Amino acid sequence: MTADAAAAALDVARFDARQNSRFENLALDEHGPAELGEWERVARLLADAPPGTVYDPDTDDVVRAELAADAAAAPAREAELREAMRIAARADELQALRELGTLDQAEPRQGDEAVRDELTRRVGGYIQDDVDAWLARALAAHRGHCRDPAAREAAAGLLSPPVRAHAALLAELVRLVPDAGVDQLAFTARLATTEPEAAGDLAAFFTRARPGG
């Protein structure tokens, strides 16, 4: 591309930018300003270069740096895509178990905290009480990936305060009444949802009250 061709392309980009500014949906599009800025940069390069210089993107340091950065970021993007696909597939699996009424029988896995967020997103942000209760019971009973102390700590850090409070209160009440059934402890979920701080305080109180606590 010659300097004249770059100047002509710049004029077209400026015209398009003026036209787009008249429409709100186009004015918010970042592609137009980015393209205009790139044409301005190329036009400056050729204007400062010796007469007759032809622009070659293969020798443009800026373009080469962008391509290198894009290549370096590719593995991370691919990993993010694989993780998103894994989360979506696991969300489908848990949703099927919910519909069958067998979610409580499923062993929680590492990453299910993100799956919880995906299920919540799918319904417009509404809290998924059954999933939260399932995760709280897993955390309290050290089931699935929560058997490992480090994984359990990491999982707790990814869950909401009500779920953490529910798990803590469940764990302490089961210690007090080992044969207590899930139905008998259903109130813990309601308390943790409406008063998570109070539920957490109650769990901490039970911890101090038991021998060795």
Side-chain angles (χ1 to χ4, degrees):
M1 174 176 287
T2 64
D4 290 342
L10 177 56
D11 287 340
V12 172
R14 285 171 173 167
F15 175 80
D16 290 343
R18 289 193 297 271
Q19 293 296 103
N20 292 345
S21 66
R22 300 176 183 178
F23 303 95
E24 184 176 355
N25 62 321
L26 294 177
L28 297 176
D29 185 1
E30 297 180 356
H31 177 74
E35 182 178 356
L36 176 58
E38 183 62 9
W39 280 121
E40 288 175 339
R41 188 184 68 81
V42 172
R44 285 196 303 270
L45 280 177
L46 290 173
D48 295 338
T53 298
V54 176
Y55 175 73
D56 182 358
D58 291 340
T59 61
D60 187 333
D61 289 341
V62 172
V63 173
R64 292 169 66 182
E66 290 175 349
L67 291 173
D70 188 63
R77 287 197 304 270
E78 291 173 2
E80 288 177 3
L81 178 59
R82 288 195 299 270
E83 177 65 4
M85 293 173 64
R86 184 199 65 78
I87 289 172
R90 177 63 168 166
D92 291 341
E93 180 183 347
L94 294 186
Q95 181 60 37
L97 293 175
R98 296 168 78 185
E99 293 170 0
L100 292 171
T102 58
L103 177 61
D104 278 340
Q105 300 173 24
E107 283 282 294
R109 303 175 188 167
Q110 187 172 356
D112 277 349
E113 298 77 25
V115 176
R116 168 195 180 269
D117 295 339
E118 169 64 12
L119 288 168
T120 302
R121 183 196 65 78
R122 291 182 179 185
V123 293
Y126 291 101
I127 293 174
Q128 308 293 284
D129 292 332
D130 57 339
V131 177
D132 279 359
W134 173 65
L135 288 171
R137 288 193 287 270
L139 193 61
H142 301 178
R143 287 178 53 207
H145 68 297
C146 292
R147 292 188 184 94
D148 178 69
R152 189 163 62 247
E153 183 177 354
L158 295 171
L159 293 170
S160 66
V163 178
R164 293 198 301 270
H166 185 191
L169 190 54
L170 273 176
E172 290 304 322
L173 289 175
V174 168
R175 289 190 183 98
L176 285 172
V177 188
D179 60 347
V182 172
D183 293 340
Q184 294 174 288
L185 299 175
F187 70 91
T188 57
R190 296 192 298 273
L191 178 60
T193 299
T194 56
E195 294 289 344
E197 187 174 349
D201 289 344
L202 183 58
F205 178 80
F206 285 144
T207 300
R208 294 194 304 270
R210 59 187 168 87

